Amino acid sequence: MATAPLSARIAMLIILAYLLVAIFAPLLAPFGEAEVVSQMPYAPPDAQFLLGTDQLGRDQLSRLIYGARNSMGIALATTLISFTLGSLLGITAAVLGGWVDQVLSRFVDVIMAIPQLIFALILLSIAGSSIPNLIIIIALLDSTRVFRVSRAVAMNVVAMEFIEAARLRGEGLAWIIRREILPNIMPTLIAEFGLRFCFAFLTISALSFLGLGIQPPTADWGSMVREASSLIAYGNLTLFIPAIAIAVLTISVNLVVDWFLDRASGLRNAN
């Protein structure tokens, strides 16, 4: 971190601040997540309600803090599932090749041919918009992207002579993946994990904005933007607060990913 550029260091501090807010949300929020604290909807900011209240009289600051936990937590769970599934299948397809690679690759091509957001909307309309369904559906759809990346980088390593030597020694598939392939592609996979987190985070926020993501009374930044969107015609800029929170986190993660890729590739050092 000491060698990171200023932009990456600031981004790391921002991500750390987000994580602390998400972890300690019950301690930081002045009111409960769904607690109605005012009889006046859309009350303006004051000493008691620093960001005002929403359409039901709930404290906006409290819901913004709890929204960090819910939005980031669900996005992280989704990314962990999609990354585990996609990378394992992608590396396995690269190592085994043949019909296994063809079947998996063509199946992924079919899934990726459908726009992810539209596909997610259809599946959530059928299965329901519960949090488990949201995590599973987004994870399965996003794992296709992870599959393509992990397969591509693993194919470059599989062609190396030390992989053939490991096969001739009689090493099993699991050993080759764990000891020979993963150490050589890990930097790319770590960077891809950060990018996939951003995409999952933005997809969940978009689904919540459309009404099929995280459902009330659970606080979520996407649904907070939707609930306040009608106020923009009256000069109320409340909706920009969760929107800015979404944008800042996404930009921060991308800055860290860019720095990590530069460091892992050694391009900056080469210059």
Side-chain angles (χ1 to χ4, degrees):
M1 181 175 177
T3 60
L6 180 60
S7 59
R9 281 182 282 178
I10 294 175
M12 291 179 195
L13 292 176
I14 292 174
I15 294 171
L16 178 61
Y18 272 74
L19 289 174
L20 291 176
V21 169
I23 293 171
F24 298 106
L27 300 177
L28 297 174
F31 301 98
E33 179 179 6
E35 181 182 359
V36 177
V37 294
S38 175
Q39 298 298 319
M40 180 180 178
Y42 296 121
D46 56 25
Q48 184 180 11
F49 310 120
L50 296 180
L51 297 180
T53 62
D54 65 4
Q55 76 279 8
L56 298 178
R58 297 171 297 190
D59 180 51
Q60 286 278 57
L61 177 60
S62 299
R63 289 185 62 77
L64 187 71
I65 292 173
Y66 276 101
R69 164 180 282 193
N70 298 326
S71 300
M72 293 174 61
I74 294 173
L76 181 59
T78 301
T79 307
L80 287 172
I81 296 173
S82 67
F83 201 81
T84 301
L85 178 63
S87 59
L88 286 178
L89 290 178
I91 296 172
T92 301
V95 174
L96 294 180
W99 68 269
V100 174
D101 183 26
Q102 288 298 317
V103 170
L104 290 175
S105 297
R106 298 297 77 76
F107 177 76
V108 166
D109 290 342
V110 171
I111 298 299
M112 292 184 67
I114 306 174
Q116 182 173 341
L117 186 59
I118 296 176
F119 204 175
L121 286 170
I122 295 172
L123 294 177
L124 286 170
S125 300
I126 297 171
S129 299
S130 65
I131 290 179
N133 287 344
L134 183 66
I135 292 174
I136 292 172
I137 289 172
I138 300 301
L140 290 177
L141 295 179
D142 211 36
S143 64
T144 57
R145 277 71 179 171
V146 181
F147 173 90
R148 294 292 294 271
V149 172
S150 59
R151 176 184 175 274
V153 294
M155 289 284 285
N156 293 329
V157 178
V158 168
M160 299 294 181
E161 294 181 355
F162 60 86
I163 299 295
E164 185 64 26
R167 286 172 170 166
L168 293 175
R169 292 197 308 267
E171 305 292 355
L173 175 63
W175 191 95
I176 293 175
I177 292 176
R178 186 178 70 254
R179 299 294 297 274
E180 300 288 1
I181 297 178
L182 276 178
N184 289 282
I185 66 174
M186 190 57 70
T188 302
L189 293 184
I190 293 175
E192 181 65 17
F193 184 90
L195 295 177
R196 295 266 60 89
F197 172 81
C198 288
F199 280 110
F201 180 71
L202 292 174
T203 300
I204 292 169
S205 297
L207 289 171
S208 296
F209 180 82
L210 295 173
L212 284 174
I214 302 173
Q215 297 298 304
T218 303
D220 167 71
W221 291 342
S223 59
M224 289 179 68
V225 174
R226 183 191 74 235
E227 292 165 358
S229 60
S230 60
L231 297 178
I232 194 170
Y234 302 98
N236 190 318
L237 303 181
T238 305
L239 68 92
F240 286 105
I241 299 173
I244 290 172
I246 294 171
V248 169
L249 178 60
T250 304
I251 294 171
S252 298
V253 172
N254 277 280
L255 286 173
V256 174
V257 168
D258 287 343
W259 165 73
F260 182 82
L261 279 175
D262 285 341
R263 180 183 178 186
S265 64
L267 292 178
R268 289 188 183 274
N269 295 333
N271 293 332

